Amino acid sequence: MNTTKIGWIGLGNMGNPMSQQLIDAAYPVTVYNRSKEKAETLRSLGAAVASSPKELIELNEVVFMMVSDDQAIDDLFNGTDGLLAANVRGKVIVNMSTVSPGISKAFSQLCKEQGNYYLDAPVSGSVKQAETGQLVIMVGGDESAFQQVKPIFEKLGKLNKRIGDSGSGNTAKLAINTLLGFYAQGLSEALVFAQQHHIPNEAMMELINNSALSSVFIKIKGDAIINENYNAAFALKHIAKDLRLAKDEGLDSPLANVLFQTFQQAEPEYGNEDIIAIMKQIR
Ligand code: NA7
């Protein structure tokens, strides 16, 4: 039995399997989710359920957050019965959501003033990696807080690495997701071009998967395109958000500018589908 008491906020596509990993690793886990019904699955697996972020941080030593965006983080810190309403010291808050470096720097400072720590620790990897503890975790913030949380990161990912000060984990994540966007759009454009010349997706994917360009991402997303399965493992609206965040941080280069435009245009129609639904936009 691991003894660190863990609080977990956010039980979406990623937060649900990640919190389950920690229950499986025999940590005592308490969860909180804005829509209460999502907590019931975790309760049935052995988690306790808190009624608010404030209660969650009062009860636990380390609190993880895995939610959508900057707005969600702001609501969870500043809302009624939010994290900042708790009178606590010495806690570590680990924000694993993909958010702006700016919001991490701001809440890191506020946490410090209250005698607590904040780490930004976004992840690379999707639902499958979350389910198998194979995520890549990039961390910004205090070294001693990172060392304290490291054994827990080891249950969630195959690599965890402190990049630097607060916000640097978020910046690294935005760089990775820019590359992810290139892969998704690049694969789509190559398949559409081939299809226009009567080469079917199945044939192209067999060639690509056996070439030097093969990758886990291309294999999984190629299968999704062939099966017309656009259910969100990583929602297109999230990558559209990440590209906006990267732009705000100064991303301004030839490919990235086109990528940004394509995903912003696709978001209204395909935002709730998987990132590879960019294929439909390209088509
Ligand atoms: P999902 O499956 O869309 O889940 C989003 C989670 O964030 C879910 O628990 C939401 O609660 C929660 N959320 C969203 N907005 C809020 C606000 N305003 N207040 C509190 N909680 C909120 O996302 P993923 O799990 O795929 O992704 C999570 C992160 O990883 C994201 O940053 C990605 O870019 C990468 P709900 O259930 O809707 O009440």
Side-chain angles (χ1 to χ4, degrees):
M1 178 84 179
N2 287 301
T3 51
T4 305
K5 292 175 76 182
I6 295 176
W8 192 282
I9 300 178
L11 300 170
N13 290 334
M14 294 294 287
N16 181 313
M18 290 169 77
S19 57
Q20 283 190 39
Q21 286 293 119
L22 300 183
I23 295 171
D24 290 350
Y27 278 102
V29 177
T30 305
V31 297
Y32 168 82
N33 196 68
R34 179 181 60 175
S35 315
K36 305 286 180 228
E37 67 279 2
K38 288 189 192 160
E40 291 312 314
T41 321
L42 275 295
R43 194 200 294 276
S44 69
L45 296 171
V49 179
S51 61
S52 66
K54 176 173 179 281
E55 187 191 29
L56 190 82
I57 196 169
E58 285 167 351
L59 293 175
N60 295 285
E61 300 159 78
V62 181
V63 170
F64 289 86
M65 307 173 85
M66 191 51 158
V67 294
S68 306
D69 51 19
D70 283 29
Q71 183 63 54
I73 295 301
D74 195 53
D75 290 352
L76 289 161
F77 270 103
N78 285 321
T80 320
D81 290 332
L83 293 169
L84 291 177
N87 186 10
V88 292
R89 294 182 71 78
K91 310 280 181 169
V92 183
I93 297 166
V94 185
N95 182 5
M96 304 193 82
S97 328
T98 299
V99 294
S100 67
I103 201 167
S104 281
K105 288 178 198 159
F107 281 116
S108 171
Q109 184 57 34
L110 286 171
C111 288
K112 195 171 169 189
E113 285 164 15
Q114 291 195 337
N116 300 303
Y117 293 102
Y118 172 106
L119 298 174
D120 48 294
V123 304
S124 178
S126 192
V127 173
K128 192 168 186 325
Q129 289 74 28
E131 286 169 348
T132 50
Q134 293 292 304
L135 294 165
V136 173
I137 305 169
M138 50 214 94
V139 185
D142 182 84
E143 170 72 27
S144 66
F146 170 65
Q147 290 302 335
Q148 188 184 333
V149 179
K150 199 170 172 50
I152 308 174
F153 284 147
E154 282 165 5
K155 303 293 179 199
L156 296 171
K158 62 178 174 188
L159 173 71
N160 61 84
K161 188 173 171 57
R162 181 176 171 273
I163 305 298
D165 292 339
S166 196
S168 57
N170 296 132
T171 306
K173 176 65 200 279
L174 295 180
I176 289 190
N177 273 13
T178 302
L179 183 59
L180 181 70
F182 290 147
Y183 270 59
Q185 184 164 341
L187 177 63
S188 302
E189 291 190 16
L191 292 182
V192 167
F193 170 66
Q195 216 168 28
Q196 282 166 347
H197 295 273
H198 313 293
I199 304 172
N201 290 336
E202 287 81 353
M204 278 310 295
M205 285 315 306
E206 190 179 354
L207 297 174
I208 295 171
N209 287 331
N210 283 286
S211 77
L213 295 171
S214 67
S215 73
V216 176
F217 177 82
I218 290 212
K219 165 94 182 61
I220 292 173
K221 297 309 179 190
D223 285 349
I225 289 171
I226 288 169
N227 296 322
E228 297 272 336
N229 174 10
Y230 296 105
N231 294 335
F234 178 52
L236 189 145
K237 66 183 173 193
H238 288 320
I239 189 89
K241 166 202 73 172
D242 297 346
L243 292 169
R244 283 195 291 277
L245 293 177
K247 262 238 165 283
D248 291 345
E249 293 299 311
L251 179 71
D252 179 17
S253 52
L255 280 178
N257 289 338
V258 173
L259 187 72
F260 173 80
Q261 250 182 20
T262 316
F263 275 92
Q264 303 312 302
Q265 284 164 1
E267 189 181 10
E269 192 163 354
Y270 305 119
N272 289 320
E273 298 185 41
D274 191 69
I275 177 175
I276 202 61
I278 199 65
M279 177 73 179
K280 299 195 219 175
Q281 175 79 12
I282 303 291
R283 247 189 227 140

